[in-house]
Amino acid sequence: MKICVIGCGAVGSLFAAHLAKAGEAEVWAYDVWQEHTDAIQRTGLRISGAEDFTVRLNATSDASELPRCDYGIVATKAIHTRIAISQVADIFDDKSAVCSVQNGVGNEEIIAERVQFVIRGTTFPAGHPIAPGHVGYDIKGDTWIGPFEPTNTSMAHVEELAGLITRSGMNTIPLKDARGAQWTKLIFNAATNPVGALTQLHHAAATRFEPTGHLFNDLIAEGEAVAKKLGIELHGDPRQLVQKGAHAAGKHRASMLQDILARRQTEVDFMNGAIVKWGKEVDVPTPLNKALWELIKGLEHSWKDPD
């Protein structure tokens, strides 16, 4: 069994390290950050924080070195999905399946342009890069995966991959319909990420502060209204996820805040932008999501046109 983790940043490294440690599959990590892949290849991948271990696995920034794989796990930023899958698509065949564990919605559609069988995924573990070959494990959590409906992916694929990941130490639940889990995290992310990015408050601080805490709830209500109109039954209450994140150890910065501080393009189009898009489709107003989407886009634009 061979598994390729495509995008071995914080979240991808957590999956790659656990799967490699379990030893049931040959694990390959593919990432354009060559210092990171070189360090992994040289001395192994270190995880610290919620768990602490170092494990050896294959890592490369050259897609031509990758072997044919049974499964792929795409963990890139959503904005990099198209280019990443185009670089590695030929390592998957008609017996392979590729799973997205990315933020937002819309990634599976892009992967399905190049791969026959696609798995819809949602994951809650979070981390941050510390140094090449070293990732901090901030928050533990479950992962939910299910067939991406248009590709007719079999539940056998879903269950096999879920079993491999669960036995590696990252609990993964196979579902026949994974849209509810995906939209629950989407709504949570669309509330917490842009608020954290614009205020520069870490998650717990933004939750405790009354104005931003109220804004979280109002943004969540908009997302819930869109999901309900789409006929998607949420997999839990996004407000509980907000509280869970607020009680996690340490001062976790939302991924969008990490991007803003590093002046990187964010995933806001796949979060708030997606809620606005689907809201228009089903005639549900989303003024708060639209405002935050536009503010984040404006902030990104300020780096190119400051005057």
Side-chain angles (χ1 to χ4, degrees):
M1 180 75 69
K2 292 183 175 67
I3 300 176
C4 182
V5 177
I6 303 139
C8 202
V11 171
S13 289
L14 296 178
F15 280 95
H18 281 84
L19 285 164
K21 185 183 177 188
E24 282 194 64
E26 180 182 316
V27 180
W28 286 78
Y30 174 70
D31 197 281
V32 295
W33 183 16
Q34 186 150 1
E35 286 180 303
H36 187 49
T37 58
D38 285 350
I40 295 170
Q41 193 67 26
R42 187 171 58 250
T43 58
L45 175 55
R46 183 184 172 195
I47 303 297
S48 65
E51 292 183 30
D52 203 328
F53 65 92
T54 301
V55 65
R56 302 303 295 260
L57 64 147
N58 305 291
T60 184
S61 296
D62 181 354
S64 68
E65 295 180 355
L66 297 171
R68 180 260 170 201
C69 286
D70 301 281
Y71 289 101
I73 297 174
V74 182
T76 66
K77 293 283 188 183
I79 57 172
H80 302 312
T81 304
R82 179 164 273 108
I83 189 167
I85 199 63
S86 71
Q87 290 167 346
V88 302
D90 61 358
I91 72 170
F92 303 110
D93 58 24
D94 61 0
K95 293 182 176 61
S96 309
V98 177
C99 178
S100 167
V101 293
Q102 299 160 280
N103 284 329
V105 296
N107 294 291
E108 291 85 1
E109 287 84 348
I110 296 170
I111 296 168
E113 293 172 5
R114 304 297 299 265
V115 176
Q116 184 171 350
F117 295 116
V118 179
I119 295 172
R120 186 191 295 276
T122 303
T123 193
F124 280 93
H128 66 282
I130 294 174
H134 184 189
V135 165
Y137 194 176
D138 296 337
I139 299 173
K140 289 189 172 187
D142 291 338
T143 299
W144 293 266
I145 64 175
F148 178 54
E149 303 79 13
T151 61
N152 294 314
T153 304
S154 72
M155 276 303 293
H157 272 125
V158 172
E159 289 166 353
E160 183 172 48
L161 182 59
L164 286 164
I165 301 171
T166 295
R167 291 191 295 275
S168 80
M170 297 180 71
N171 192 48
T172 301
I173 299 102
L175 300 170
K176 290 183 179 179
D177 184 353
R179 293 177 304 157
Q182 187 177 55
W183 268 78
T184 303
K185 189 183 181 188
L186 167 67
I187 293 166
F188 161 77
N189 272 333
T192 57
N193 268 266
V195 173
L198 290 168
T199 63
Q200 298 195 13
L201 291 168
H202 64 79
H203 182 83
T207 306
R208 288 194 302 262
F209 185 51
E210 189 173 349
T212 46
H214 282 158
L215 183 54
F216 283 172
N217 286 330
D218 292 341
L219 285 159
I220 286 169
E222 283 188 2
E224 287 175 328
V226 175
K228 183 176 181 181
K229 196 71 177 286
L230 286 167
I232 296 172
E233 185 177 347
L234 296 183
H235 199 77
D237 185 348
R239 293 167 192 81
Q240 291 180 352
L241 301 179
V242 171
Q243 293 303 319
K244 179 180 178 181
H247 289 96
K251 297 179 179 180
H252 177 66
R253 288 175 167 174
S255 60
M256 196 176 292
L257 173 55
Q258 295 178 43
D259 289 338
I260 291 295
L261 292 173
R263 294 198 164 199
R264 294 188 296 257
Q265 185 181 352
T266 72
E267 298 177 291
V268 72
D269 291 338
F270 291 79
M271 293 182 187
N272 304 83
I275 288 176
V276 172
K277 173 194 165 189
W278 283 107
K280 286 180 180 177
E281 290 277 339
V282 295
D283 198 27
V284 173
T286 56
L288 289 173
N289 277 276
K290 186 172 186 289
L292 288 187
W293 178 35
E294 291 167 339
L295 285 168
I296 293 292
K297 298 304 285 186
L299 185 53
E300 291 176 350
H301 183 66
S302 74
W303 307 328
K304 300 176 185 176
D305 187 11
D307 300 323

